[in-house]
Amino acid sequence: MDDGILRLRSHGHAAVRGTHGKTLEFAVEPDITARATCVLGVATTVHGGPVPPVAGPLRLTITARGIGVTVHALGNSLWRPGTTAVVRRSTERLPNTLATDADMAAADLPRELVHALTDPDTAVDVLVERAPGPENGTLVRYWAAPGHDRRLAVECAAADVILAEDREARAALAGYDALDASGARSPRSGRDAEAAAREALAEGGRVLTVAAAAAPGPLPQLLDRTARPVVEVLNLPPELAVSAVSPVRARRLLATEAPPREVPRLVATQPGAAVTFRCAAEELPRVLAEVDRPAGSRTVSVAEASLPGAERPWWGPATELNWDGRGEVVCQVDPVETPAGAAVAAVDPAGLVAALLDQSLSTRTIAMALAAQPGWSRRTAYDFVLKATGGRKN
């Protein structure tokens, strides 16, 4: 595929200020006010034919009147061509967000470029190209919803290798062949697929794993812990995202309703369990320090408690955690040692349902999450969720 995947055409406006320190934006509306300090162009359109997938590392070259600047960012597969294109310094992914983790915002652009954009006659060109990925690649873990999923189509087309985690995922993925803009498909199961995934990650590529029958389990064994890729977890609530980013197989104890001060005791009394809890970001170092005292250092996974922020959880030794986020986080504390062949056991069902209801998820999605736990069928999970929600369907 050509590195150039998207071209936007826009126009300047007298109200362009370019002083926003966190975002830059190309609006589809023809008019703005001086309060829109992040907007660099108006009446934005997509130039050319069908738009290939916008996901993974990107390079955006903004040019006007011969003045150009390059912004590096991470593409957002939620974005839809034809809508406003926002580029954020933060990790927040919204439907109008073209890319996140940008190395520049409007305020960082050359002032001569911003001045040129204040003229309505100025034509603005934005070329979006693929950029090299992280050294050890990117692994995207995806929970597929029933029916056609536009975001999954984008992620499929952006992936170098696709792995199906279950039979239902293989059936769902069969419908996305025509949406692969690269024209090349990768093996989807078996040893050949795992070998292709290892090779792609070693070359800094993008590997997509898809689960449909149940939420994704622990990280696949194909990964080398000493050369870990960047991991993204899409379509899962934070309580399940922190589990999907950990390679440790263990029974799970969901303790999101417990106060943080109780977490060290829970970890100590459940030595074989992975304990998931919520707390304020500023409390997390203290809680983990207390957890480590009885049994030594262990691994943890951490994600923001909001759905957009939970897409890129962190996993590693608790002693290496350097979490600079604010607000509430969800954390999973892995056991120090997991017995060989240990199976993932059921979590507290009432706690799981309560946690997912807090995320405003549908009863069907919550039932699927519960059905993913050992000992639960889809029918018993659905009945349990209906009873817990008073029979409400949404």
Side-chain angles (χ1 to χ4, degrees):
M1 181 191 298
D2 190 333
D3 284 345
I5 59 173
L6 173 67
R7 182 167 243 123
L8 302 177
R9 293 287 171 81
S10 194
H11 297 279
H13 192 282
V16 166
R17 295 293 179 267
T19 57
H20 203 288
K22 296 182 179 180
T23 63
L24 59 86
E25 176 181 327
F26 298 93
V28 295
E29 295 81 5
D31 198 21
I32 59 171
T33 69
R35 296 177 60 186
T37 57
C38 62
V39 175
L40 303 178
V42 299
T44 303
T45 59
V46 175
H47 180 71
V51 179
V54 178
L58 302 176
R59 180 172 56 248
L60 294 82
T61 302
I62 306 168
T63 307
R65 291 190 178 178
I67 307 169
V69 67
T70 299
V71 180
H72 293 88
L74 187 64
N76 172 30
S77 54
L78 278 175
W79 182 77
R80 299 293 174 261
T83 62
T84 289
V86 179
V87 178
R88 303 180 186 277
R89 275 190 172 276
S90 72
T91 61
E92 186 176 18
R93 290 174 168 174
L94 300 173
N96 71 345
T97 303
L98 171 65
T100 62
D101 300 85
D103 59 0
M104 287 189 187
D108 304 308
L109 302 182
R111 290 300 93 184
E112 61 267 32
L113 174 60
V114 173
H115 178 71
L117 298 177
T118 62
D119 185 347
D121 292 329
T122 296
V124 188
D125 182 85
V126 183
L127 175 63
V128 182
E129 302 170 281
R130 296 209 184 285
E135 180 180 1
N136 296 319
T138 301
L139 178 68
V140 181
R141 312 211 66 198
Y142 200 103
W143 189 16
H148 182 76
D149 185 337
R150 178 68 169 75
R151 190 179 194 187
L152 178 57
V154 173
E155 290 293 343
C156 283
D160 297 302
V161 176
I162 304 170
L163 300 178
E165 296 195 27
D166 49 54
R167 183 176 59 187
E168 287 82 353
R170 286 193 293 274
L173 286 167
Y176 293 100
D177 282 351
L179 296 169
D180 182 6
S182 69
R185 299 308 296 162
S186 302
R188 291 209 174 112
S189 60
R191 294 183 179 180
D192 287 345
E194 293 186 3
R198 289 191 186 95
E199 182 179 352
L201 293 174
E203 295 176 353
R206 192 173 180 89
V207 174
L208 172 68
T209 73
V210 181
L219 282 182
Q221 293 300 313
L222 63 93
L223 298 177
D224 181 351
R225 291 195 189 191
T226 63
R228 286 182 54 79
V230 172
V231 180
E232 298 184 16
V233 183
L234 308 184
N235 252 24
L236 283 177
E239 288 78 9
L240 298 180
V242 290
S243 181
V245 78
S246 171
V248 177
R249 291 191 60 83
R251 60 187 178 87
R252 291 190 61 211
L253 174 63
L254 196 69
T256 52
E257 299 300 316
R261 65 177 179 276
E262 294 293 326
V263 171
R265 180 186 63 80
L266 288 172
V267 173
T269 57
Q270 302 287 332
V275 178
T276 302
F277 64 95
R278 283 178 174 244
C279 72
E282 56 266 25
E283 287 186 87
L284 187 59
R286 177 187 60 78
V287 174
L288 294 181
E290 290 292 327
V291 164
D292 273 354
R293 282 182 182 177
S297 181
R298 61 183 74 217
T299 56
V300 301
S301 47
V302 182
E304 295 179 16
S306 62
L307 282 175
E311 292 191 345
R312 278 185 291 156
W314 181 93
W315 179 87
T319 53
E320 296 180 9
L321 177 65
N322 184 20
W323 190 266
D324 57 1
R326 298 180 180 179
E328 192 176 35
V329 298
V330 175
C331 178
Q332 174 176 296
V333 177
D334 296 328
V336 173
E337 292 184 359
T338 303
V344 179
V347 300
D348 167 40
L352 177 62
V353 171
L356 300 188
L357 281 173
D358 286 343
Q359 301 294 330
S360 300
L361 298 179
S362 69
T363 52
R364 189 183 191 288
T365 298
I366 297 173
M368 288 180 66
L370 186 56
Q373 309 306 318
W376 288 84
S377 67
R378 293 189 182 187
R379 170 50 56 188
T380 55
Y382 194 66
D383 290 343
F384 184 91
V385 173
L386 285 181
K387 183 177 180 181
T389 58
R392 183 180 76 252
K393 297 181 179 181
N394 60 340

